[in-house]
PDB file of all heavy atoms in Angstrom:
ATOM      1  N   ALA A 541       0.780  -1.201   0.001  1.00 92.00           N
ATOM      2  CA  ALA A 541       0.037  -0.013  -0.019  1.00 92.00           C
ATOM      3  C   ALA A 541       0.866   1.311  -0.022  1.00 92.00           C
ATOM      4  O   ALA A 541       0.570   2.211  -0.648  1.00 92.00           O
ATOM      5  CB  ALA A 541      -0.920  -0.061   1.186  1.00 92.00           C
ATOM      6  N   THR A 542       1.916   1.234   0.667  1.00 92.00           N
ATOM      7  CA  THR A 542       2.989   2.354   0.798  1.00 92.00           C
ATOM      8  C   THR A 542       3.548   2.520  -0.537  1.00 92.00           C
ATOM      9  O   THR A 542       3.551   3.793  -1.015  1.00 92.00           O
ATOM     10  CB  THR A 542       3.957   2.167   1.889  1.00 92.00           C
ATOM     11  OG1 THR A 542       3.284   2.011   3.095  1.00 92.00           O
ATOM     12  CG2 THR A 542       4.892   3.305   1.945  1.00 92.00           C
ATOM     13  N   ILE A 543       3.905   1.579  -1.188  1.00 94.00           N
ATOM     14  CA  ILE A 543       4.495   1.647  -2.539  1.00 94.00           C
ATOM     15  C   ILE A 543       3.488   2.230  -3.535  1.00 94.00           C
ATOM     16  O   ILE A 543       3.886   3.086  -4.378  1.00 94.00           O
ATOM     17  CB  ILE A 543       5.178   0.364  -3.063  1.00 94.00           C
ATOM     18  CG1 ILE A 543       6.435   0.043  -2.119  1.00 94.00           C
ATOM     19  CG2 ILE A 543       5.515   0.314  -4.498  1.00 94.00           C
ATOM     20  CD1 ILE A 543       6.873  -1.324  -2.286  1.00 94.00           C
ATOM     21  N   LEU A 544       2.334   1.728  -3.594  1.00 94.00           N
ATOM     22  CA  LEU A 544       1.248   2.138  -4.351  1.00 94.00           C
ATOM     23  C   LEU A 544       0.954   3.689  -4.134  1.00 94.00           C
ATOM     24  O   LEU A 544       0.869   4.403  -5.046  1.00 94.00           O
ATOM     25  CB  LEU A 544       0.035   1.346  -4.297  1.00 94.00           C
ATOM     26  CG  LEU A 544      -1.171   1.639  -5.004  1.00 94.00           C
ATOM     27  CD1 LEU A 544      -0.980   1.679  -6.554  1.00 94.00           C
ATOM     28  CD2 LEU A 544      -2.364   0.979  -4.602  1.00 94.00           C
ATOM     29  N   LEU A 545       0.934   4.053  -2.859  1.00 93.00           N
ATOM     30  CA  LEU A 545       0.673   5.433  -2.507  1.00 93.00           C
ATOM     31  C   LEU A 545       1.841   6.310  -3.027  1.00 93.00           C
ATOM     32  O   LEU A 545       1.473   7.405  -3.561  1.00 93.00           O
ATOM     33  CB  LEU A 545       0.462   5.547  -0.996  1.00 93.00           C
ATOM     34  CG  LEU A 545      -0.147   6.781  -0.502  1.00 93.00           C
ATOM     35  CD1 LEU A 545      -1.412   7.036  -1.037  1.00 93.00           C
ATOM     36  CD2 LEU A 545      -0.441   6.607   0.945  1.00 93.00           C
ATOM     37  N   LEU A 546       3.114   5.856  -2.814  1.00 93.00           N
ATOM     38  CA  LEU A 546       4.120   6.639  -3.347  1.00 93.00           C
ATOM     39  C   LEU A 546       4.186   6.850  -4.863  1.00 93.00           C
ATOM     40  O   LEU A 546       4.489   7.837  -5.433  1.00 93.00           O
ATOM     41  CB  LEU A 546       5.456   6.030  -2.890  1.00 93.00           C
ATOM     42  CG  LEU A 546       5.825   6.263  -1.381  1.00 93.00           C
ATOM     43  CD1 LEU A 546       6.962   5.442  -0.966  1.00 93.00           C
ATOM     44  CD2 LEU A 546       5.942   7.741  -1.049  1.00 93.00           C
ATOM     45  N   LEU A 547       3.697   5.727  -5.521  1.00 95.00           N
ATOM     46  CA  LEU A 547       3.520   5.875  -7.014  1.00 95.00           C
ATOM     47  C   LEU A 547       2.406   6.890  -7.358  1.00 95.00           C
ATOM     48  O   LEU A 547       2.629   7.772  -8.336  1.00 95.00           O
ATOM     49  CB  LEU A 547       3.196   4.486  -7.591  1.00 95.00           C
ATOM     50  CG  LEU A 547       4.373   3.501  -7.686  1.00 95.00           C
ATOM     51  CD1 LEU A 547       3.896   2.127  -8.092  1.00 95.00           C
ATOM     52  CD2 LEU A 547       5.509   3.951  -8.539  1.00 95.00           C
ATOM     53  N   ILE A 548       1.368   6.779  -6.688  1.00 93.00           N
ATOM     54  CA  ILE A 548       0.296   7.812  -6.872  1.00 93.00           C
ATOM     55  C   ILE A 548       0.785   9.245  -6.701  1.00 93.00           C
ATOM     56  O   ILE A 548       0.585  10.154  -7.426  1.00 93.00           O
ATOM     57  CB  ILE A 548      -0.982   7.511  -6.028  1.00 93.00           C
ATOM     58  CG1 ILE A 548      -1.622   6.217  -6.541  1.00 93.00           C
ATOM     59  CG2 ILE A 548      -1.982   8.647  -6.050  1.00 93.00           C
ATOM     60  CD1 ILE A 548      -2.705   5.661  -5.533  1.00 93.00           C
ATOM     61  N   VAL A 549       1.488   9.405  -5.557  1.00 92.00           N
ATOM     62  CA  VAL A 549       2.009  10.726  -5.224  1.00 92.00           C
ATOM     63  C   VAL A 549       3.008  11.105  -6.292  1.00 92.00           C
ATOM     64  O   VAL A 549       3.072  12.320  -6.750  1.00 92.00           O
ATOM     65  CB  VAL A 549       2.685  10.701  -3.841  1.00 92.00           C
ATOM     66  CG1 VAL A 549       3.593  11.894  -3.560  1.00 92.00           C
ATOM     67  CG2 VAL A 549       1.623  10.521  -2.767  1.00 92.00           C
ATOM     68  N   GLY A 550       3.904  10.278  -6.752  1.00 93.00           N
ATOM     69  CA  GLY A 550       4.846  10.617  -7.774  1.00 93.00           C
ATOM     70  C   GLY A 550       4.191  11.037  -9.130  1.00 93.00           C
ATOM     71  O   GLY A 550       4.496  11.903  -9.763  1.00 93.00           O
ATOM     72  N   THR A 551       2.999  10.376  -9.520  1.00 93.00           N
ATOM     73  CA  THR A 551       2.242  10.693 -10.630  1.00 93.00           C
ATOM     74  C   THR A 551       1.619  12.055 -10.512  1.00 93.00           C
ATOM     75  O   THR A 551       1.633  12.879 -11.447  1.00 93.00           O
ATOM     76  CB  THR A 551       1.175   9.672 -10.845  1.00 93.00           C
ATOM     77  OG1 THR A 551       1.777   8.324 -11.089  1.00 93.00           O
ATOM     78  CG2 THR A 551       0.405   9.924 -12.154  1.00 93.00           C
ATOM     79  N   VAL A 552       1.074  12.291  -9.327  1.00 91.00           N
ATOM     80  CA  VAL A 552       0.419  13.702  -9.098  1.00 91.00           C
ATOM     81  C   VAL A 552       1.639  14.721  -9.160  1.00 91.00           C
ATOM     82  O   VAL A 552       1.311  15.805  -9.762  1.00 91.00           O
ATOM     83  CB  VAL A 552      -0.285  13.731  -7.717  1.00 91.00           C
ATOM     84  CG1 VAL A 552      -0.636  15.031  -7.272  1.00 91.00           C
ATOM     85  CG2 VAL A 552      -1.466  12.749  -7.754  1.00 91.00           C
ATOM     86  N   PHE A 553       2.747  14.462  -8.665  1.00 92.00           N
ATOM     87  CA  PHE A 553       3.846  15.373  -8.726  1.00 92.00           C
ATOM     88  C   PHE A 553       4.107  15.708 -10.237  1.00 92.00           C
ATOM     89  O   PHE A 553       4.264  16.868 -10.615  1.00 92.00           O
ATOM     90  CB  PHE A 553       5.076  14.823  -7.979  1.00 92.00           C
ATOM     91  CG  PHE A 553       6.360  15.631  -8.251  1.00 92.00           C
ATOM     92  CD1 PHE A 553       6.544  16.986  -7.871  1.00 92.00           C
ATOM     93  CD2 PHE A 553       7.421  15.067  -8.967  1.00 92.00           C
ATOM     94  CE1 PHE A 553       7.649  17.654  -8.193  1.00 92.00           C
ATOM     95  CE2 PHE A 553       8.501  15.663  -9.229  1.00 92.00           C
ATOM     96  CZ  PHE A 553       8.673  17.046  -8.928  1.00 92.00           C
ATOM     97  N   ALA A 554       4.328  14.647 -10.956  1.00 93.00           N
ATOM     98  CA  ALA A 554       4.741  14.749 -12.414  1.00 93.00           C
ATOM     99  C   ALA A 554       3.679  15.502 -13.149  1.00 93.00           C
ATOM    100  O   ALA A 554       3.900  16.492 -13.957  1.00 93.00           O
ATOM    101  CB  ALA A 554       4.967  13.451 -12.923  1.00 93.00           C
ATOM    102  N   LEU A 555       2.390  15.166 -12.861  1.00 91.00           N
ATOM    103  CA  LEU A 555       1.301  15.975 -13.542  1.00 91.00           C
ATOM    104  C   LEU A 555       1.225  17.405 -13.150  1.00 91.00           C
ATOM    105  O   LEU A 555       1.026  18.274 -13.939  1.00 91.00           O
ATOM    106  CB  LEU A 555      -0.060  15.179 -13.337  1.00 91.00           C
ATOM    107  CG  LEU A 555      -0.218  13.860 -14.019  1.00 91.00           C
ATOM    108  CD1 LEU A 555      -1.458  13.260 -13.537  1.00 91.00           C
ATOM    109  CD2 LEU A 555      -0.094  14.050 -15.434  1.00 91.00           C
ATOM    110  N   SER A 556       1.414  17.655 -11.842  1.00 90.00           N
ATOM    111  CA  SER A 556       1.403  19.073 -11.393  1.00 90.00           C
ATOM    112  C   SER A 556       2.581  19.837 -11.882  1.00 90.00           C
ATOM    113  O   SER A 556       2.486  20.995 -12.229  1.00 90.00           O
ATOM    114  CB  SER A 556       1.378  19.060  -9.769  1.00 90.00           C
ATOM    115  OG  SER A 556       2.560  18.639  -9.234  1.00 90.00           O
ATOM    116  N   LEU A 557       3.746  19.135 -12.070  1.00 89.00           N
ATOM    117  CA  LEU A 557       4.940  19.836 -12.554  1.00 89.00           C
ATOM    118  C   LEU A 557       4.685  20.310 -14.079  1.00 89.00           C
ATOM    119  O   LEU A 557       4.997  21.366 -14.454  1.00 89.00           O
ATOM    120  CB  LEU A 557       6.125  18.907 -12.447  1.00 89.00           C
ATOM    121  CG  LEU A 557       7.482  19.502 -12.774  1.00 89.00           C
ATOM    122  CD1 LEU A 557       7.808  20.726 -12.034  1.00 89.00           C
ATOM    123  CD2 LEU A 557       8.554  18.495 -12.669  1.00 89.00           C
ATOM    124  N   VAL A 558       4.174  19.337 -14.872  1.00 90.00           N
ATOM    125  CA  VAL A 558       3.897  19.561 -16.246  1.00 90.00           C
ATOM    126  C   VAL A 558       2.750  20.670 -16.314  1.00 90.00           C
ATOM    127  O   VAL A 558       2.970  21.638 -17.115  1.00 90.00           O
ATOM    128  CB  VAL A 558       3.320  18.295 -16.911  1.00 90.00           C
ATOM    129  CG1 VAL A 558       2.791  18.589 -18.334  1.00 90.00           C
ATOM    130  CG2 VAL A 558       4.579  17.309 -17.065  1.00 90.00           C
ATOM    131  N   TRP A 559       1.779  20.679 -15.561  1.00 89.00           N
ATOM    132  CA  TRP A 559       0.808  21.612 -15.594  1.00 89.00           C
ATOM    133  C   TRP A 559       1.252  22.961 -15.082  1.00 89.00           C
ATOM    134  O   TRP A 559       0.981  24.010 -15.870  1.00 89.00           O
ATOM    135  CB  TRP A 559      -0.515  21.345 -14.717  1.00 89.00           C
ATOM    136  CG  TRP A 559      -1.659  22.264 -14.650  1.00 89.00           C
ATOM    137  CD1 TRP A 559      -2.586  22.283 -15.563  1.00 89.00           C
ATOM    138  CD2 TRP A 559      -1.738  23.303 -13.750  1.00 89.00           C
ATOM    139  NE1 TRP A 559      -3.376  23.335 -15.215  1.00 89.00           N
ATOM    140  CE2 TRP A 559      -2.896  24.010 -14.168  1.00 89.00           C
ATOM    141  CE3 TRP A 559      -1.073  23.897 -12.609  1.00 89.00           C
ATOM    142  CZ2 TRP A 559      -3.452  25.107 -13.489  1.00 89.00           C
ATOM    143  CZ3 TRP A 559      -1.497  24.940 -12.014  1.00 89.00           C
ATOM    144  CH2 TRP A 559      -2.707  25.602 -12.443  1.00 89.00           C
ATOM    145  N   TRP A 560       2.013  23.044 -14.020  1.00 86.00           N
ATOM    146  CA  TRP A 560       2.530  24.270 -13.577  1.00 86.00           C
ATOM    147  C   TRP A 560       3.582  24.866 -14.554  1.00 86.00           C
ATOM    148  O   TRP A 560       3.642  26.085 -14.734  1.00 86.00           O
ATOM    149  CB  TRP A 560       3.208  24.053 -12.148  1.00 86.00           C
ATOM    150  CG  TRP A 560       3.758  25.385 -11.544  1.00 86.00           C
ATOM    151  CD1 TRP A 560       5.082  25.655 -11.270  1.00 86.00           C
ATOM    152  CD2 TRP A 560       3.015  26.634 -11.192  1.00 86.00           C
ATOM    153  NE1 TRP A 560       5.150  26.900 -10.641  1.00 86.00           N
ATOM    154  CE2 TRP A 560       3.888  27.433 -10.657  1.00 86.00           C
ATOM    155  CE3 TRP A 560       1.713  26.927 -11.303  1.00 86.00           C
ATOM    156  CZ2 TRP A 560       3.594  28.744 -10.128  1.00 86.00           C
ATOM    157  CZ3 TRP A 560       1.349  28.159 -10.855  1.00 86.00           C
ATOM    158  CH2 TRP A 560       2.251  29.064 -10.324  1.00 86.00           C
ATOM    159  N   ALA A 561       4.305  24.053 -15.303  1.00 84.00           N
ATOM    160  CA  ALA A 561       5.286  24.605 -16.279  1.00 84.00           C
ATOM    161  C   ALA A 561       4.537  25.321 -17.344  1.00 84.00           C
ATOM    162  O   ALA A 561       5.227  26.182 -18.009  1.00 84.00           O
ATOM    163  CB  ALA A 561       6.130  23.473 -16.837  1.00 84.00           C
ATOM    164  N   GLY A 562       3.440  25.019 -17.680  1.00 83.00           N
ATOM    165  CA  GLY A 562       2.614  25.682 -18.720  1.00 83.00           C
ATOM    166  C   GLY A 562       1.814  26.818 -18.323  1.00 83.00           C
ATOM    167  O   GLY A 562       1.219  27.504 -19.143  1.00 83.00           O
ATOM    168  N   GLN A 563       1.933  27.167 -17.029  1.00 80.00           N
ATOM    169  CA  GLN A 563       1.221  28.315 -16.538  1.00 80.00           C
ATOM    170  C   GLN A 563       2.051  29.531 -16.375  1.00 80.00           C
ATOM    171  O   GLN A 563       3.282  29.387 -16.611  1.00 80.00           O
ATOM    172  CB  GLN A 563       0.588  28.001 -15.045  1.00 80.00           C
ATOM    173  CG  GLN A 563      -0.281  26.818 -15.020  1.00 80.00           C
ATOM    174  CD  GLN A 563      -1.522  26.985 -15.921  1.00 80.00           C
ATOM    175  OE1 GLN A 563      -2.244  27.951 -15.937  1.00 80.00           O
ATOM    176  NE2 GLN A 563      -1.745  26.017 -16.799  1.00 80.00           N
ATOM    177  N   ASN A 564       1.441  30.711 -16.106  1.00 71.00           N
ATOM    178  CA  ASN A 564       2.165  31.921 -15.830  1.00 71.00           C
ATOM    179  C   ASN A 564       2.875  31.683 -14.376  1.00 71.00           C
ATOM    180  O   ASN A 564       2.179  31.752 -13.355  1.00 71.00           O
ATOM    181  CB  ASN A 564       1.254  33.065 -15.717  1.00 71.00           C
ATOM    182  CG  ASN A 564       1.996  34.434 -15.519  1.00 71.00           C
ATOM    183  OD1 ASN A 564       3.175  34.454 -15.364  1.00 71.00           O
ATOM    184  ND2 ASN A 564       1.173  35.413 -15.235  1.00 71.00           N
ATOM    185  N   THR A 565       4.157  31.562 -14.421  1.00 65.00           N
ATOM    186  CA  THR A 565       4.751  31.284 -13.138  1.00 65.00           C
ATOM    187  C   THR A 565       5.014  32.637 -12.214  1.00 65.00           C
ATOM    188  O   THR A 565       5.519  32.484 -11.176  1.00 65.00           O
ATOM    189  CB  THR A 565       6.243  30.704 -13.439  1.00 65.00           C
ATOM    190  OG1 THR A 565       7.043  31.577 -14.165  1.00 65.00           O
ATOM    191  CG2 THR A 565       6.093  29.326 -13.937  1.00 65.00           C
ATOM    192  N   GLN A 566       4.429  33.654 -12.739  1.00 70.00           N
ATOM    193  CA  GLN A 566       4.564  34.918 -11.967  1.00 70.00           C
ATOM    194  C   GLN A 566       3.379  34.899 -10.881  1.00 70.00           C
ATOM    195  O   GLN A 566       3.383  35.565  -9.942  1.00 70.00           O
ATOM    196  CB  GLN A 566       4.398  36.078 -12.783  1.00 70.00           C
ATOM    197  CG  GLN A 566       5.508  36.368 -13.833  1.00 70.00           C
ATOM    198  CD  GLN A 566       6.890  36.374 -13.115  1.00 70.00           C
ATOM    199  OE1 GLN A 566       7.122  36.946 -11.975  1.00 70.00           O
ATOM    200  NE2 GLN A 566       7.901  35.887 -13.811  1.00 70.00           N
ATOM    201  N   SER A 567       2.423  34.003 -11.113  1.00 76.00           N
ATOM    202  CA  SER A 567       1.249  33.907 -10.213  1.00 76.00           C
ATOM    203  C   SER A 567       1.642  32.863  -9.059  1.00 76.00           C
ATOM    204  O   SER A 567       2.689  32.250  -9.039  1.00 76.00           O
ATOM    205  CB  SER A 567       0.063  33.357 -10.919  1.00 76.00           C
ATOM    206  OG  SER A 567       0.265  32.081 -11.489  1.00 76.00           O
TER     207      SER A 567
END
């Protein structure tokens, strides 16, 4: 369960990084 949760957290991190890179980083 911990490994699965860490994989989910890593996926959320990757998606948030990709999303944030496409935004106005001045906000």
Side-chain angles (χ1 to χ4, degrees):
T542 301
I543 291 170
L544 179 64
L545 196 52
L546 287 172
L547 288 173
I548 291 169
V549 167
T551 302
V552 169
F553 167 68
L555 292 173
S556 68
L557 186 60
V558 168
W559 182 85
W560 182 241
Q563 302 300 310
N564 177 9
T565 57
Q566 299 302 324
S567 62

